[in-house]
Amino acid sequence: MHKDGATPAPMKWWGWGEESVSFTHEGKPELAPFIERHLKLDVRRPGTPPLAFEALEISAPVLSAPLRARLEDAVGAGHVSSDDQDRVVHGRGKSLTDLVRQRRGDLSRLPDVVVRPGAEDEVVAVMEAALAADAVVIPFGGGSSISGSLEPEAGESRPVISVDMVRMNRVLGIDATSQLARVQTGVFGPDLERQLNAQGWTCGHFPDSFTYSTLGGWIATRSSGMQSDRYGDVAELTRGLRVVTPSGVLVVRPVPSTSTGPSVREMVLGSEGRLGIVTEATIHIRRVPAERKILGYLFPAWADGLAAMRDIAAGETEPSVTRVSDSYETAFSFATRTDPTPLDRVKSRALQAFLKRKGWDLEAMCLSFIGYEGSEGEVAMQRKQTERITKRHGGLCIGSSPGALYDQKKFDTPYIRDFLLDRGAPADVSETSAPWGELQTVYDNVMAAGYGAFDELGVPGYLMCHLSHSYHAGACLYFTFALNPPAGRDALEDYGVVKRAIQQAFVDSGATLSHHHAVGTEHAQWLEEDISAPGVAMLRALFEGTDPGANLNPGKIVATGRDREPGETVPRGESSRTNGGTGEPRRSLDARRASRPRS
């Protein structure tokens, strides 16, 4: 986390996080041998840095003087930028595909201008200016998307405006009685927690991208966090919304439940900017717990860990974290440990000897983390009830040290990807969810598909998995993979073979294409297999009905209407400024702006 919890600086244009922060194998004596053994990759040799920024070929912005003037009138001249680095940083997210292409200098279509509104009225003015100029609008939070949700469509001839919400970063009010907070959506995770913690509250949402992602980004992608078992994912946390759309400001009241037709709140969640720019959300909050503890556990095998997590989810306890790694991820986790002290070595040897006496296969054992929060008494009760279940499945508590280390390092994982990419080895993640009764089958099918892809390519590869985000009916499986293509081969093509094999195994096994990383463009090809052809048609009708001119982040989730078969049309151009393509002029957003609810 940043020292003061405030808004972080923009991320590297070619990688994750701050320029001054990087991952290293040094101080982790087992990591380099582990990677060399499984990927045939010597990470001790220096990596190859990306191109220098000065070597990039950056196209000139396509922005008329009148449009720029309107944008400057909307947000202030100091908050309108066509700076080269600004445009490059806002041109893509942080998917593996994004990073490889950035590093190669393949920038594709960049935004022409980055605007940073400071209030909802300014967002409204930006939207009106964009519609009047038939420009494309792409909302931007922290830029951490790994599904291709931020890149303009290739060949887009219209002006492209990246709307960076960074200035809209305040908690506007807290309703302590209802345990709700009104929050501007440009707030980054650490800053949100800092503002809430100062008044004794927490949102409890901690995705891997926490440091570099925003509330608006979480909403746009239906994000889940590491403590979603207790606090809920962002779809459960988000109750009310304000969204600037082409036809006005959409207001969703923060009521606990409603029967007003299909849920508009649910339509906005996961919409990736296709329906408008989310400016404000009312979210559930809880009091900061008096005690928080994450403990490490070991299970004899993956099946034992799965069964334990299933029974915990079905029980009456409410742990904040229920996570178990398969044997492959457990081995990797142990390889990333820092240089142990002599006492640590003694303890490790004693534990291994104890487990062998119990008949454990140490190569099959699985590491788990379970978190507890609440008062001292509540934490003790949660732990007692949960450990009855873990013991029933052969689990063994190994104390707080592994959990404390996990808690400290949980936001560092994305830096490892840059470390491997520097050495020519692409690494990525794919995650899914399925019912408890299908999880083992999904796991087996994905492992077979992933390792089958490595064999097909003839490359060294490693695939591992953990279970997280447990629900009454099922859970999320989160897979991480890496491969080492030979010199002279296109690493991105080889990566694509593995990624497609894993994603296809998801949908072929009856699981979803993504649990919390969204659709974007990277996962769109599997959407119909996941939600069926009528489901895709519904989404297309929703997007085209709301945005008939295809001005809002076109091409994400489902293709825009202009990609239809010849002969089919969707209103474009002038009709983008009319009411649903009927020819009737749209009322101004000022006229349609909804009155803000009272605090």
Side-chain angles (χ1 to χ4, degrees):
M1 184 183 296
H2 294 267
K3 286 177 283 198
D4 60 358
T7 300
M11 284 195 277
K12 304 163 186 165
W13 64 268
W14 53 267
W16 183 266
E18 295 182 42
E19 290 281 354
S20 60
V21 179
S22 61
F23 179 84
T24 177
H25 67 284
E26 295 174 6
K28 306 173 184 69
E30 298 176 39
L31 183 57
F34 181 92
I35 293 174
E36 191 161 11
R37 184 163 65 252
H38 292 287
L39 292 182
K40 306 296 184 283
L41 179 68
D42 182 6
V43 297
R44 300 177 186 88
R45 63 177 174 81
T48 302
L51 289 175
F53 187 81
E54 294 72 23
L56 298 177
E57 295 184 9
I58 300 173
S59 59
V62 179
L63 189 67
S64 69
L67 176 55
R68 185 178 189 98
R70 284 200 64 173
L71 294 175
E72 291 180 350
D73 287 344
V75 303
H79 303 300
V80 176
S81 170
S82 290
D83 172 77
D84 282 351
Q85 184 140 359
D86 227 357
R87 294 172 60 219
V88 170
V89 167
H90 287 77
R92 283 193 172 118
K94 300 300 179 185
S95 74
L96 190 282
T97 304
D98 291 334
L99 296 188
V100 170
R101 289 178 173 160
Q102 294 286 88
R103 286 165 167 260
R104 291 176 178 176
D106 173 14
L107 300 181
S108 190
R109 178 67 163 93
L110 294 176
D112 299 297
V113 63
V114 178
V115 300
R116 294 178 171 90
E120 185 177 278
D121 285 353
E122 295 182 9
V123 177
V124 169
V126 169
M127 179 71 77
E128 290 185 327
L131 294 176
D134 192 22
V136 169
V137 172
I138 302 179
F140 190 94
S144 62
S145 164
I146 61 170
S147 58
S149 300
L150 295 175
E151 184 178 358
E153 289 187 289
E156 178 60 75
S157 59
R158 297 175 293 175
V160 176
I161 304 168
S162 177
V163 182
D164 189 327
M165 301 293 287
V166 65
R167 293 174 61 213
M168 297 180 63
N169 59 6
R170 293 185 298 119
V171 173
L172 299 173
I174 291 176
D175 177 348
T177 303
S178 306
Q179 298 186 83
L180 295 172
R182 283 179 49 226
V183 187
Q184 292 179 314
T185 55
V187 66
F188 282 76
D191 198 12
L192 173 60
E193 282 298 302
R194 179 184 63 81
Q195 293 182 64
L196 292 175
N197 292 173
Q199 300 185 60
W201 299 93
T202 179
C203 169
H205 192 73
F206 300 101
D208 282 355
S209 61
F210 175 72
T211 307
Y212 289 100
S213 57
T214 64
L215 174 59
W218 302 342
I219 291 168
T221 57
R222 294 186 69 101
S223 168
S224 283
M226 296 175 185
Q227 297 178 184
S228 291
D229 285 20
R230 177 179 178 85
Y231 291 91
D233 62 21
V234 80
E236 296 169 278
L237 289 169
T238 303
R239 304 317 307 166
L241 290 163
R242 292 183 67 88
V243 188
V244 175
T245 78
S247 57
V249 178
L250 166 68
V251 178
V252 176
R253 296 178 176 181
V255 294
S257 187
T258 182
S259 178
T260 51
S263 172
V264 175
R265 182 184 68 90
E266 284 284 337
M267 293 176 193
V268 174
L269 289 158
S271 58
E272 301 184 40
R274 293 295 309 263
L275 299 178
I277 301 173
V278 185
T279 58
E280 183 183 312
T282 302
I283 59 173
H284 282 306
I285 52 175
R286 297 196 191 199
R287 284 294 181 186
V288 174
E291 185 171 343
R292 181 172 182 272
K293 184 177 293 186
I294 296 182
L295 299 179
Y297 296 80
L298 291 175
F299 288 94
W302 174 242
D304 302 308
L306 282 187
M309 298 305 116
R310 179 197 65 216
D311 288 354
I312 291 170
E316 296 181 359
T317 59
E318 194 183 40
S320 59
V321 177
T322 52
R323 172 177 173 140
V324 60
S325 298
D326 69 358
S327 60
Y328 298 95
E329 187 168 287
T330 297
F332 175 76
S333 296
F334 288 155
T336 61
R337 290 178 297 190
T338 54
D339 201 359
T341 65
L343 180 59
D344 289 335
R345 291 193 183 95
V346 171
K347 289 180 178 178
S348 178
R349 284 196 294 268
L351 177 61
Q352 290 180 41
F354 172 74
L355 294 175
K356 285 179 179 177
R357 286 197 301 272
K358 288 173 64 74
W360 283 36
D361 177 355
L362 299 189
E363 292 189 357
M365 71 179 179
C366 296
L367 177 64
S368 171
F369 298 109
I370 301 177
Y372 310 100
E373 292 188 10
S375 68
E376 183 179 351
E378 288 170 333
V379 167
M381 180 189 66
Q382 290 172 26
R383 180 177 178 182
K384 182 178 179 180
Q385 293 177 339
T386 299
E387 288 189 354
R388 285 180 187 153
I389 297 171
T390 60
K391 289 175 182 177
R392 192 162 70 235
H393 294 285
L396 174 70
C397 181
I398 56 175
S400 59
S401 294
L405 184 62
Y406 160 76
D407 217 21
Q408 291 169 17
K409 302 295 183 182
K410 60 192 175 186
F411 303 130
D412 294 347
T413 305
Y415 287 101
I416 300 176
R417 186 175 51 167
D418 290 347
F419 173 77
L420 291 173
L421 267 183
D422 286 345
R423 291 151 182 85
D428 201 12
V429 295
S430 281
E431 35 70 63
T432 189
S433 70
W436 289 112
E438 303 299 326
L439 281 181
Q440 184 66 55
T441 298
V442 173
Y443 173 83
D444 291 341
N445 290 347
V446 172
M447 296 301 284
Y451 278 98
F454 297 146
D455 290 343
E456 174 192 336
L457 292 167
V459 300
Y462 199 75
L463 174 60
M464 57 190 182
C465 177
H466 66 258
L467 176 148
S468 60
H469 311 301
S470 295
Y471 304 90
H472 177 78
C476 166
L477 292 180
Y478 194 108
F479 294 85
T480 303
F481 63 94
L483 60 151
N484 182 17
R489 281 247 293 268
D490 187 335
L492 198 53
E493 288 186 9
D494 281 5
Y495 155 80
V497 170
V498 180
K499 172 76 172 178
R500 287 190 294 272
I502 291 171
Q503 291 291 141
Q504 193 62 51
F506 289 165
V507 295
D508 287 349
S509 303
T512 185
L513 65 83
S514 175
H515 171 262
H516 58 267
H517 284 162
V519 180
T521 54
E522 301 239 340
H523 299 143
Q525 71 185 83
W526 293 280
L527 187 61
E528 184 173 319
E529 292 180 78
D530 190 328
I531 67 172
S532 79
V536 173
M538 284 184 185
L539 288 182
R540 186 188 294 279
L542 172 63
F543 296 149
E544 292 182 359
T546 302
D547 176 32
N551 297 100
L552 303 184
N553 207 12
K556 311 309 184 295
I557 308 178
V558 297
T560 54
R562 54 183 163 167
D563 295 323
R564 289 176 165 190
E565 294 298 316
E568 294 185 277
T569 60
V570 64
R572 292 285 316 283
E574 192 59 32
S575 65
S576 72
R577 296 181 293 280
T578 60
N579 186 11
T582 63
E584 298 176 12
R586 281 200 180 121
R587 294 166 58 196
S588 104
L589 268 68
D590 288 322
R592 301 173 63 92
R593 201 170 300 161
S595 60
R596 185 177 297 275
R598 294 175 184 169
S599 315

